[in-house]
Amino acid sequence: MNLPALPLDRFEVRLREVLRSRVEFIELIGEDLAAAGGKRVRPSLVYLALRALGAHQHPQEHDLAVAVELLHSASLLHDDLLDNADTRRGQVTAFRRFGNVVSVMSGDYMLSKVLVLLSAMPQCLTRAFGETAAAICEGEVLQFQVAAYSEYSDANYLEIIRGKTGVLIELAASAPALLLGSPPEQLQALRTYGLEYGLAFQMQDDLLDLASDEATLGKPIGGDLREGKATFPVLRLLDSRDAAEVREILERRAAQAGDVARVRVLAAEHDAFAATRAEIERRSRLAVQALSVLPPSPARERLEALATLEAQRVK
C-alpha cells in the first residue's frame, strides 16, 4: 500500500491564513515565508507521525503543522539578525529589507500565533512547545559562549546542535503523539527518532559546510570556521597532532587567506570527514531503531527513509 500524498497544499493555505495581518510589513514577511517554501521537513514529519500512529486525518493536524513551522521560522528570523546574514534560501533576509525592529517583532508575532493555535489543543502541547523554544534559545546563546571562551568539546557541540536543530525536529515528530494521547512508549519512540534524526541532520549540514564546494552548496564553504564554531570534524582535529594550528585558526575566525583550505586538508589527512559520516550514520540508525515500537506502515517506512538518507544529502 502506498502512502497517500501528504496534505502540504492544505498546509500552505493554512499557513497563509494564520500569518495574515493588517500591518503591511508583517504581511510581507509572512508572504515571503510562505512563498519561500523549502523542503517543509518539519510539517511533513507532523503528518507522517500522525499517519504512523494511525490517524489518517485529524481536525487539528494542519494547525499543529503550522505551529511547528512558525516556531522554526521565528527562530530563523532572529538567527539571521544575530548572524548578520544577507540571504536566506536565496532571498534577502527580512532584517536587511525592513530593519531590525520589524524583523524581530515579526518573529515575535509568529510566536504569538503559535500560542493562539496551541490554545485550542491539549495543554501538554503548550508545555512541549515552551520547552522547545527555551532549548532553542539556550543552544543559540551557548554557541556564542563556546566561541567566546573557546570551550570546544563534544558535549558542548552536541548541546548546541540539540538546541539548533534537534529539539525542533523532536517536537515535530512527537507532538502528534501528544495531540492523540498516544501510549508513553510511542511518544518516547518518536521523541528519540526526532532527536537522533535532528542531530544527524545538523551534523550533515556542518559536514557539508566544510567538505562540500560552493557550486554544490550554493554558498561559500567554511562559514562555521569564520564564526569560530567547532563542528564535529573540527573537533576531531582538536584531538589530533595538529590541534594547536586548528585552534589558532578557530580563534582568529579563519581570517587569513588559506585558513579554510588548510583545515580541509587536515580534515582529509586525519579522516575527520570519514569520522563525521560514520557518526551521522550511527545517529540515523538510532533514529530508525526507535521506530520499531510503532506498527509497520507506509508512514513509518517514510520516516525511516528520511533518517536513513540523511547521510546522502548534498545540500
Side-chain angles (χ1 to χ4, degrees):
M1 181 177 63
N2 292 325
L3 181 69
L6 299 179
L8 291 176
D9 54 345
R10 184 67 189 90
F11 163 82
E12 299 292 346
V13 171
R14 185 62 179 137
L15 179 63
R16 283 179 163 86
E17 290 174 351
V18 172
L19 285 174
R20 284 201 184 113
S21 170
R22 61 181 179 271
V23 177
E24 182 183 355
F25 279 9
I26 293 178
E27 185 84 7
L28 288 171
I29 289 176
E31 182 56 35
D32 285 349
L33 165 64
K39 299 172 184 176
R40 299 302 194 208
V41 171
R42 293 155 193 84
S44 296
L45 287 174
V46 171
Y47 292 119
L48 285 171
L50 281 166
R51 305 303 183 262
L53 292 168
H56 297 290
Q57 194 171 19
H58 191 282
Q60 293 177 306
E61 63 181 15
H62 305 306
D63 280 1
L64 183 59
V66 167
V68 171
E69 186 69 4
L70 287 181
L71 179 55
H72 174 54
S73 298
S75 71
L76 294 183
L77 280 175
H78 295 158
D79 279 354
D80 286 342
L81 177 57
L82 291 171
D83 294 341
N84 203 33
D86 293 323
T87 60
R88 164 75 61 181
R89 292 173 181 161
Q91 303 297 319
V92 177
T93 52
F95 87 94
R96 291 292 187 202
R97 286 184 65 192
F98 302 106
N100 296 357
V101 173
V102 172
S103 181
V104 170
M105 295 308 295
S106 294
D108 292 346
Y109 178 80
M110 292 178 187
L111 293 176
S112 72
K113 288 296 186 177
V114 170
L115 292 176
V116 172
L117 292 171
L118 293 176
S119 68
M121 299 183 198
Q123 188 175 7
C124 57
L125 278 163
T126 302
R127 177 167 186 156
F129 271 75
E131 289 175 343
T132 299
I136 291 171
C137 294
E138 288 179 327
E140 190 67 42
V141 174
L142 179 61
Q143 184 168 257
F144 279 85
Q145 177 180 306
V146 167
Y149 292 159
S150 301
E151 295 175 329
Y152 308 122
S153 69
D154 284 359
N156 279 339
Y157 172 68
L158 286 173
E159 191 61 27
I160 288 167
I161 66 171
R162 175 181 172 271
K164 189 171 184 176
T165 303
V167 291
L168 198 46
I169 291 185
E170 178 184 350
L171 178 69
S174 62
L178 294 172
L179 180 65
L180 298 174
S182 300
E185 62 271 17
Q186 293 185 340
L187 171 62
Q188 187 55 52
L190 287 165
R191 279 178 172 160
T192 301
Y193 165 82
L195 180 59
E196 295 297 345
Y197 173 33
L199 295 177
F201 188 100
Q202 188 58 52
M203 285 182 180
Q204 182 70 359
D205 266 6
D206 294 345
L207 174 63
L208 293 174
D209 180 72
L210 190 59
S212 187
D213 57 81
E214 185 171 346
T216 302
L217 205 55
K219 62 180 180 180
I221 61 169
D224 289 331
L225 281 174
R226 295 186 185 93
E227 293 175 13
K229 299 174 184 175
T231 56
F232 196 90
V234 175
L235 286 167
R236 303 286 66 75
L237 295 181
L238 292 177
D239 287 332
S240 73
R241 64 178 180 275
D242 293 302
E245 180 183 1
V246 174
R247 183 174 285 272
E248 286 179 8
I249 291 173
L250 265 176
E251 291 179 352
R252 66 173 176 254
R253 306 294 195 267
Q256 296 182 10
D259 276 350
V260 173
R262 176 59 178 163
V263 173
R264 279 164 59 93
V265 168
L266 292 174
E269 286 181 1
H270 292 287
D271 293 325
F273 292 151
T276 306
R277 292 187 186 97
E279 180 64 9
I280 292 166
E281 290 170 359
R282 187 181 76 85
R283 296 281 178 181
S284 297
R285 286 195 299 272
L286 290 173
V288 171
Q289 290 166 9
L291 295 177
S292 62
V293 305
L294 301 181
S297 69
R300 194 185 101 176
E301 290 176 9
R302 182 84 70 87
L303 288 170
E304 291 170 348
L306 284 172
T308 300
L309 294 173
E310 187 54 39
Q312 300 175 27
R313 182 165 57 88
V314 296
K315 62 181 179 179

